[in-house]
Amino acid sequence: MLLAIDTSIGTSVAVVDRDRGVLAERATSDTRSHAEVIGAYIDECLGEAQVAASALSAVAIGMGPGPFTGLRVGIAAANAFAFGIGRPVVRVVSHDAVAFAELRAGRRDPVLVVSDARRREVYWSTYAAPDSEGLPKRVQGPALTRPDGLEDAVTRLDEYRRVDASEVSAGALGMLAETMHLHGREFAASEPLYLRSPDVTLAKAPKRVTG
């Protein structure tokens, strides 16, 4: 049983079980309220699912792609919660969860997942038809481009059905993590997928003044 969190677009939290599916989920598409709602969502999901934190086996977290500010809130919350209950963190590419949600809805054709990166840019990933275990097969990405640059960036663009992701379901992300673990698949790396440098930069050292 997992607690799953994603803040790559809005904020989504869920409790999932491999056999019983999504037990509880809360989500908002608001891209500015991650820190304000995530704690309440965790409490509400655990309460609705009637699951004690000690019953969880791990915490699954979406690693992006996503803007720096929002993404780090979810990652920090997942790490802190997992540390508090003595459980591991498992990391999942957020676009993979979108592609997995398409598969769970019965759509098995190749897809192009696109999400808003702000600054007039988009994040994108492409996926072939699922593998033999029903898991999405990422072909390209995640990557960053301007909306009008997709035709140049995506190989054989016309072969993919475009999915514009306005949210990433933590329920889908958690069930993907459960399925990956079941089949011994490798989880995402520990480095968040910001795909661009943060706005904050270190100040230059002051010049030495010699007399």
Side-chain angles (χ1 to χ4, degrees):
M1 199 177 316
L2 300 178
L3 175 72
I5 298 170
D6 191 277
T7 55
S8 63
I9 302 178
T11 302
S12 184
V13 176
V15 175
V16 307
D17 179 82
R18 181 186 303 166
D19 299 320
R20 294 184 290 163
V22 180
L23 305 182
E25 186 166 10
R26 295 288 187 278
T28 177
S29 59
D30 188 343
T31 59
R32 298 180 182 275
S33 63
H34 308 286
E36 289 79 3
V37 302
I38 195 165
Y41 282 2
I42 291 172
D43 286 341
E44 290 171 12
C45 285
L46 290 172
E48 181 179 323
Q50 298 184 340
V51 170
S54 59
L56 299 169
S57 58
V59 178
I61 178 63
M63 299 301 287
F68 178 82
T69 302
L71 200 56
R72 65 178 178 175
V73 171
I75 293 172
N79 288 336
F81 191 87
F83 178 81
I85 63 173
R87 298 293 188 271
V89 174
V90 294
R91 301 171 180 88
V92 178
V93 175
S94 300
H95 276 186
D96 290 1
V98 177
F100 187 66
E102 292 292 304
L103 296 178
R104 284 168 58 83
R107 295 181 283 269
R108 303 178 68 83
D109 52 328
V111 295
L112 163 68
V113 175
V114 179
S115 58
D116 184 13
R118 304 178 192 172
R119 302 185 193 173
R120 300 180 181 178
E121 292 180 308
V122 294
Y123 300 116
W124 64 271
S125 304
T126 58
Y127 297 84
D131 64 18
S132 59
E133 307 296 349
L135 289 164
K137 293 191 295 185
R138 188 163 8 103
V139 179
Q140 289 181 277
L144 179 72
T145 189
R146 294 181 63 86
D148 58 7
L150 283 170
E151 188 170 351
D152 294 326
V154 179
T155 304
R156 293 192 286 274
L157 176 63
D158 59 347
E159 295 183 5
Y160 296 98
R161 175 173 57 86
R162 176 167 170 164
V163 176
D164 287 283
S166 58
E167 63 178 23
V168 177
S169 165
L173 187 139
M175 292 305 296
L176 174 57
E178 288 275 30
T179 308
M180 291 171 68
H181 176 71
L182 177 65
H183 296 293
R185 300 301 175 83
E186 186 175 352
F187 287 102
S190 59
E191 190 68 23
L193 294 169
Y194 299 128
L195 304 188
R196 67 158 70 100
S197 300
D199 293 332
V200 178
T201 57
L202 296 176
K204 295 181 179 179
K207 294 181 179 179
R208 292 185 62 185
V209 179
T210 57

